[in-house]
């Protein structure tokens, strides 16, 4: 394995460990579908979040939203890479709203890993999952 591949594998393993661990704390009594998300910010700091459901169903929040809120609260401003971990019948990728949440803090090449607790199943870029997107630059920011 090349050094760069091995660094990438380490990065994936660190994100997966953080997402698996926070997923254990998900509050998902309604769907029973636990999700954990972990991201690395531009300073190299890890942030994690889990889904938090609510008896008033639409009020629940996704794991990615929690991880992004944790990053912003801790002073991070850019997502270098993000991983979402769930145990579904199919691939667990960020929902549409979360793709847009990620978009606010990431670029088209930012890696988005879709994982199960057993490992990364697939890696996408933000541009793969949200092509021709609307973002801060659209507003001239
Ligand atoms: N969920 C996430 O946390 N992230 C996603 O990207 C997909 C869906 C949560 C929301 C809800 O609590 C549960 O998974 C079932 O939809």
């Amino acid at each position: 394995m090349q050094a760069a591949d091995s660094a990438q594998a380490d990065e994936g393993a660190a994100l997966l460990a953080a997402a698996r661990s926070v997923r254990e704390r998900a509050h998902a009594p309604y769907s029973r579908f636990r999700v954990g998300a972990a991201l690395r910010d531009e300073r190299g700091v890890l942030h994690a979040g889990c889904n938090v459901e609510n008896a008033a169903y639409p009020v629940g929040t996704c794991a990615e939203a929690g991880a992004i809120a944790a990053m912003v609260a801790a002073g991070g401003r850019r997502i270098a890479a993000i991983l979402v971990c769930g145990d579904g019948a199919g691939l667990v990728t960020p929902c549409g709203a979360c793709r847009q949440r990620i978009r606010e803090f990431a670029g088209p090449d930012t890696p988005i890993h879709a994982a199960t607790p057993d490992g990364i199943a697939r890696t996408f870029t933000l541009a793969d999952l949200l092509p021709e997107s609307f973002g801060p630059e659209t507003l001239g920011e």
Side-chain angles (χ1 to χ4, degrees), residues 59-135:
V59 180
T61 51
C62 284
E64 296 90 325
I68 291 170
M71 177 190 81
V72 172
R77 283 297 175 267
R78 296 295 293 170
I79 297 172
I82 184 165
L83 179 147
V84 53
C85 176
D87 204 2
L91 202 60
V92 179
T93 57
C95 76
C98 286
R99 294 176 193 202
Q100 185 65 35
R101 290 190 175 99
I102 294 166
R103 169 66 177 89
E104 183 71 12
F105 303 101
D109 298 330
T110 303
I112 300 178
H113 305 289
T116 71
D118 295 331
I120 293 175
R122 281 188 63 184
T123 296
F124 302 91
T125 64
L126 176 61
D128 291 330
L129 299 184
L130 195 68
E132 308 301 336
S133 62
F134 186 96

Side-chain angles (χ1 to χ4, degrees), residues 26-37 49-54 57 60-66 84-85 92-99 101-102:
H27 177 70
Y30 308 108
S31 73
R32 308 219 172 265
F33 193 79
R34 294 170 173 271
V35 184
C50 54
N51 54 333
V52 181
E53 296 183 349
N54 192 285
Y57 295 170
T61 51
C62 284
E64 296 90 325
V84 53
C85 176
V92 179
T93 57
C95 76
C98 286
R99 294 176 193 202
R101 290 190 175 99
I102 294 166

